[in-house]
């Protein structure tokens, strides 16, 4: 079982930057061999896959709306993987609740790395507001 905890959200002006973090809770298994991703959902809109990363940082995937502005990374330390999302040049349209997620790597995930249906474990979310 994997429990994920996000942090780093907040309010920022357009053009600003934020870095989101996602760590396994102390009661959680480490998702070191799982695909990790960031999703977001704005009020009245569907959930959107923002970025995904394979185990070992081998490959990354981005939504077109954030490409060249957001960077997803994962860092392994003391046998725990921490997931990050560096968000630069933020825009008002980036305002949303941001969630990290973990899912099985391989198989059908490779065809749809930004699909929420490919992820089993989800964090509670952290709010990002750009205005």
């Amino acid at each position: 079982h994997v429990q994920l905890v996000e942090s780093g959200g907040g309010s920022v002006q357009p053009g600003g930057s934020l870095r989101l973090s996602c760590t396994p809770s102390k009661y959680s298994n480490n998702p070191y061999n799982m695909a990790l991703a960031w999703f977001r959902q704005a009020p009245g809109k569907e959930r959107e896959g923002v970025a995904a990363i394979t185990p070992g940082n081998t490959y990354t995937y981005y939504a077109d709306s954030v490409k060249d502005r957001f960077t997803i990374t994962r860092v392994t330390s003391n046998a725990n993987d921490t997931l990050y999302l560096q968000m630069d040049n933020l825009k008002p349209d980036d305002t949303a609740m941001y969630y990290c997620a973990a899912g099985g790597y391989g198989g059908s995930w490779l065809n749809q790395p930004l699909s929420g249906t490919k992820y089993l474990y989800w964090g509670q979310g952290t709010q990002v507001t750009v205005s």
Side-chain angles (χ1 to χ4, degrees), residues 5-6 9 38 56 70 74 79-80 90 92-93 101-102 106 128 131:
V5 180
E6 302 98 334
W38 288 99
F70 290 11
R74 65 194 291 171
N80 278 322
L90 282 160
D93 284 348
V128 172
S131 65

Side-chain angles (χ1 to χ4, degrees), residues 12-18 69 86-92 94 130-131:
V12 65
Q13 293 183 341
S17 298
L18 283 174
R69 298 189 299 121
Q86 178 66 41
M87 305 185 294
D88 298 318
N89 190 20
L90 282 160
K91 304 176 180 180
D94 296 318
V130 185
S131 65

Side-chain angles (χ1 to χ4, degrees), residues 7 15 22-23 33 62 71 89 111 113 119 121:
S7 62
C22 173
T23 58
N33 62 343
Y62 294 94
T71 303
N89 190 20
N111 295 323
Y119 295 86
Y121 303 106

Side-chain angles (χ1 to χ4, degrees), residues 83-121:
L83 181 68
Y84 297 99
L85 185 69
Q86 178 66 41
M87 305 185 294
D88 298 318
N89 190 20
L90 282 160
K91 304 176 180 180
D93 284 348
D94 296 318
T95 296
M97 186 72 77
Y98 282 71
Y99 301 89
C100 65
Y105 171 63
S108 63
W109 181 91
L110 294 170
N111 295 323
Q112 294 180 299
L114 296 180
S115 169
T117 61
K118 305 304 179 185
Y119 295 86
L120 183 60
Y121 303 106

Side-chain angles (χ1 to χ4, degrees), residues 18-117:
L18 283 174
R19 189 176 80 155
L20 305 183
S21 300
C22 173
T23 58
S25 76
K26 62 180 180 179
Y27 306 108
S28 171
N29 293 324
N30 179 38
Y32 70 95
N33 62 343
M34 303 181 80
L36 300 177
W38 288 99
F39 289 80
R40 67 185 181 186
Q41 188 166 21
K45 294 187 177 181
E46 292 187 356
R47 182 179 60 193
E48 174 189 21
V50 175
I53 189 166
T54 60
N57 280 326
T58 307
Y59 296 106
T60 56
Y61 305 85
Y62 294 94
D64 288 343
S65 58
V66 306
K67 204 168 290 184
D68 299 326
R69 298 189 299 121
F70 290 11
T71 303
I72 187 171
T73 55
R74 65 194 291 171
V75 177
T76 300
S77 177
N78 296 324
N80 278 322
D81 272 27
T82 299
L83 181 68
Y84 297 99
L85 185 69
Q86 178 66 41
M87 305 185 294
D88 298 318
N89 190 20
L90 282 160
K91 304 176 180 180
D93 284 348
D94 296 318
T95 296
M97 186 72 77
Y98 282 71
Y99 301 89
C100 65
Y105 171 63
S108 63
W109 181 91
L110 294 170
N111 295 323
Q112 294 180 299
L114 296 180
S115 169
T117 61

